[in-house]
Amino acid sequence: MQHTQAREGGPPPYDHVFVGERRSRRAVEMQVTWESGRLAAKPLFEALRACSICPEQQVFLNNYREGEGPFEVDDDALARLRGFSLSGTTIVALGRRVQRELARAGVEHVALIHPAARGAIRSRERYRAHVADVLGRRR
């Protein structure tokens, strides 16, 4: 998705920017991104729709450069996030690694459990409830 600047004094062009880590090896092999709505995006998109949030009208970024090995912050993504934050768009950090990095970088955000997390949160109903609670939307 392309970022457009908010009109001065007007509302931000997007409600939320969802920030993940980097594409998994499987996502790269399948040539899918967050916008594809597959893999980890599927339960997130279902939860957003249950909260009356249209995923296609949100922005999805990864905070780290693609590739194997250590996680390296993508400076371009971080700059875009700062711009979105200044425009009033809500930054939603998916998972603890991203949450720690955004806090370290001084980017205000809300914390959401990553949609690929393990354990009880994998239940569709529990994940939908979590997303609704965090984003302040009732189902």
Side-chain angles (χ1 to χ4, degrees):
M1 283 189 179
Q2 290 291 337
H3 165 62
T4 57
Q5 290 292 331
R7 289 167 294 167
E8 194 161 331
Y14 307 104
D15 293 329
H16 304 90
V17 175
F18 292 87
V19 186
E21 292 179 1
R22 63 183 179 197
R23 289 195 303 164
S24 67
R25 183 181 322 176
R26 186 166 180 216
V28 171
E29 289 170 358
M30 294 174 63
Q31 299 179 346
V32 298
T33 63
W34 283 109
E35 291 84 1
S36 302
R38 297 180 61 196
L39 299 175
K42 185 175 180 174
L44 176 61
F45 280 26
E46 289 174 356
L48 292 175
R49 286 188 182 104
C51 296
S52 300
I53 297 172
C54 180
E56 294 79 15
Q57 295 177 352
Q58 311 310 311
V59 176
F60 298 86
L61 293 174
N62 284 322
N63 197 50
Y64 301 99
R65 292 188 180 103
E66 286 195 13
E68 300 294 319
F71 286 83
E72 296 178 28
V73 173
D74 182 332
D75 293 330
D76 292 336
L78 190 56
R80 288 186 68 196
L81 288 170
R82 287 186 171 122
F84 280 119
S85 183
L86 289 173
S87 76
T89 304
T90 301
I91 309 297
V92 182
L94 301 172
R96 292 181 185 154
R97 180 174 301 181
V98 172
Q99 293 159 12
R100 280 191 304 267
E101 187 60 45
L102 294 184
R104 188 176 7 255
V107 176
E108 188 175 327
H109 62 278
V110 295
L112 195 65
I113 294 173
H114 195 283
R118 303 286 186 239
I121 197 70
R122 289 285 283 210
S123 152
R124 280 190 165 115
E125 195 55 40
R126 284 188 181 166
Y127 193 71
R128 286 178 184 168
H130 168 65
V131 171
D133 287 344
V134 170
L135 299 181
R137 306 277 180 114
R138 297 292 168 225
R139 296 170 286 152

